[in-house]
Every structure is written in structure tokens, then in C-alpha cells.
Amino acid sequence: MSLKEQMPKDAVGCFLNDGEFAEEITYTTGAGVSKVIKAVVVRYELAPAEENINRSLKKQAEIYIANDETSGVTAVNKKDDRITLKDTEGVEHEARINDVIARDEGMWYLMVGW
């Protein structure tokens, strides 16, 4: 078995194991199809919005999800897809996908904000 074949298995079995690092989020496609999946969520405190426009603040998180049809998603649409997750106080929010930071055979690495 090659590293390329092992990466998707390790992503789901190790990193996205809710007994270890992961939690449940809801991924909703632009077509309105929702799916509860496991994700590793790294939350940030309030941060200035882009270019500090009108001095607004927003919350952000980095999200790691499986690049897999069964336990994750195989395509990400930054414009239309949404992620529902809890903030640092446990309040549920619908977040936009701000950026796809990276992707490999095992996982997507996304920046989201709300």
C-alpha cells in the first residue's frame, strides 16, 4: 500500500475520529443538500474584516474535512456551499467558505468565517 492510498484511510480513521480530534459539523452544498460530517475545527477570536472596511469584526475558523464521498465531500464551492458549526461559546452559526487553503487525497483544509 502506498502513502497516497493510506492518506484517505488515516484522515478518516485517525484525525476525523470524534474520540480524538474531530466534532460534527453540517456541510450544505449550494443545491441545498445537507450532510453531517466529522471535522477538525480550529477556532479563532474576533478578527478585523478584509482591508479593515468600516472597522467590522468577524469570527473565523480553519476546518479540516475528509476528501471522500462517504465521510466528507469531494468538491467544494466557495461561492455557494455553507458550513454550520459551533463557535467558542457553543452557539451554532452558518459560515461561508472564505478560502480553500489546501487539498490532497485525504483532506480539505478550509478557512471559514461568519
Side-chain angles (χ1 to χ4, degrees):
M1 178 176 290
S2 71
L3 176 62
K4 192 174 189 177
E5 294 169 338
Q6 187 64 35
M7 285 175 68
K9 293 176 184 175
D10 286 345
V12 173
C14 182
F15 295 105
L16 297 177
N17 177 344
D18 58 359
E20 298 292 335
F21 305 108
E23 62 188 77
E24 287 186 341
I25 64 167
T26 303
Y27 191 98
T28 306
T29 65
V33 178
S34 295
K35 181 179 190 181
V36 175
I37 60 175
K38 305 286 185 188
V40 175
V41 180
V42 181
R43 293 170 181 83
Y44 290 107
E45 297 299 318
L46 286 173
E50 291 82 22
E51 302 294 325
N52 205 11
I53 298 170
N54 298 327
R55 304 271 184 208
S56 63
L57 297 174
K58 66 177 183 175
K59 291 195 175 188
Q60 292 183 319
E62 292 177 1
I63 300 202
Y64 298 85
I65 58 175
N67 184 3
D68 177 78
E69 190 171 336
T70 305
S71 54
V73 297
T74 56
V76 171
N77 182 331
K78 291 185 347 182
K79 180 180 174 242
D80 296 325
D81 293 357
R82 300 289 183 266
I83 294 175
T84 305
L85 71 154
K86 293 183 180 176
D87 65 12
T88 54
E89 285 109 30
V91 179
E92 227 172 53
H93 293 278
E94 183 179 88
R96 294 183 64 117
I97 299 170
N98 295 337
D99 199 9
V100 176
I101 298 171
R103 177 184 75 92
D104 59 30
E105 284 76 17
M107 297 180 86
W108 290 91
Y109 176 26
L110 309 173
M111 176 65 74
V112 301
W114 61 94

